[in-house]
Amino acid sequence: MDRVTSSVFRAEGTAVNWVILREGRDLTLIDAGYPGDVDAVLASVAAIGHRPEDLRAVLVTHAHVDHVGALNHLHERYGTPVLMHPDELANATGERHESATPADVARRAWRPSVLRWSLAITRAGGTQHPVVTHARGFEPGVPLDLPGRPVPVHLPGHTSGSAAFVLPEAGIVVTGDALVTGHPLLRGTGPQLLPDFFHHDTAAARHALETLGRVDADVVVPGHGAPWRGDLRAATARLVA
Ligand SMILES: [Zn+2]
């Protein structure tokens, strides 16, 4: 668990991050790990002295299996609502599929480290397709009335309804998989895109970096990899070029 600020925490499950925003006794969770990460999500809430009942909502950057794992558990046990971009709802309900398959990964990126990762995520439920029917859409660009006051920014490409969440006071942007800083399938660290076959629309994912570069933030907390501090506009411009 990283304490990014006194009220923003990054936890890591099976090679995937989620983020907790704290405001008083209330929390916002951003993303929810793999299905096998449910206990780790609950442990991360406990680790900062809170209970799952303190979660006012879960925000979802996108509805891939590694980001939605605990949503149904939290909803069934605690009634925690889920919000995502309206264009992502069809991915959450399973009406639409915009994700790479394990075969895509095996075919395009076979290495021993990738094999280890594949086994780990398979154990964590990576081949499942959790169906989330209780999610609702938020209005992009408008600060959400939730702990941390996150502002959703639509970054289509990785999936149609991918979104980042900007925390203007903290100068932080939570990017999901629109921009990552490390992943078992990537060789280096630092701000970068996931391999092309992970994106529903790679050209759009690249274009979305221009939108991300206009965000007023100097700390990136990504879906995969460590938090990164630096000149976001310059970093995204390098990736677009
Ligand atoms: Zn991911």
Side-chain angles (χ1 to χ4, degrees):
M1 168 93 76
D2 286 325
R3 197 182 167 102
V4 185
T5 72
S6 59
S7 56
V8 179
F9 305 85
R10 187 241 354 184
E12 187 171 12
T14 311
V16 64
N17 299 326
W18 55 88
V19 177
I20 302 173
L21 314 179
R22 172 156 68 190
E23 193 175 306
R25 286 307 304 167
D26 297 322
L27 305 177
T28 301
L29 177 64
I30 303 179
D31 286 348
Y34 280 97
D37 288 328
V38 169
D39 288 345
V41 169
L42 298 173
S44 67
V45 171
I48 59 170
H50 282 260
R51 303 173 312 148
E53 290 88 341
D54 298 336
L55 291 168
R56 299 282 76 86
V58 191
L59 301 177
V60 177
T61 60
H62 65 294
H64 281 164
V65 61
D66 51 332
H67 301 260
V68 303
L71 297 184
N72 285 330
H73 176 85
L74 290 171
H75 188 251
E76 285 158 19
R77 285 288 294 276
Y78 308 104
T80 320
V82 172
L83 293 167
M84 59 183 69
H85 190 281
D87 293 351
E88 196 66 2
L89 292 170
N91 289 330
T93 57
E95 287 160 62
R96 195 174 59 202
H97 287 286
E98 296 183 335
S99 53
T101 66
D104 289 326
V105 177
R107 195 164 54 242
R108 286 152 156 138
W110 197 90
R111 292 195 301 277
S113 63
V114 172
L115 182 62
R116 278 195 298 278
W117 168 76
S118 297
L119 293 173
I121 66 164
T122 300
R123 275 197 302 274
T127 57
Q128 299 174 20
H129 294 283
V131 170
V132 177
T133 56
H134 58 281
R136 289 179 294 120
F138 52 59
E139 195 182 335
V142 177
L144 296 166
D145 186 20
L146 287 172
R149 309 297 128 187
V151 185
V153 177
H154 190 201
L155 299 175
H158 183 65
T159 61
S160 297
S162 280
F165 298 99
V166 183
L167 311 174
E169 272 183 37
I172 292 173
V173 59
V174 179
T175 55
D177 291 3
L179 183 71
V180 302
T181 64
H183 190 281
L185 293 182
L186 296 168
R187 287 169 194 274
T189 57
Q192 56 197 302
L193 286 176
L194 283 165
D196 285 354
F197 66 86
F198 269 128
H199 304 299
H200 171 63
D201 182 338
T202 303
R206 231 165 261 291
H207 183 69
L209 292 175
E210 296 175 23
T211 306
L212 184 59
R214 290 192 288 273
V215 163
D216 188 17
D218 58 6
V219 177
V220 171
V221 184
H224 303 273
W228 175 89
R229 182 182 292 271
D231 185 338
L232 180 60
R233 181 179 288 259
T236 51
R238 263 197 307 278
L239 292 168
V240 172

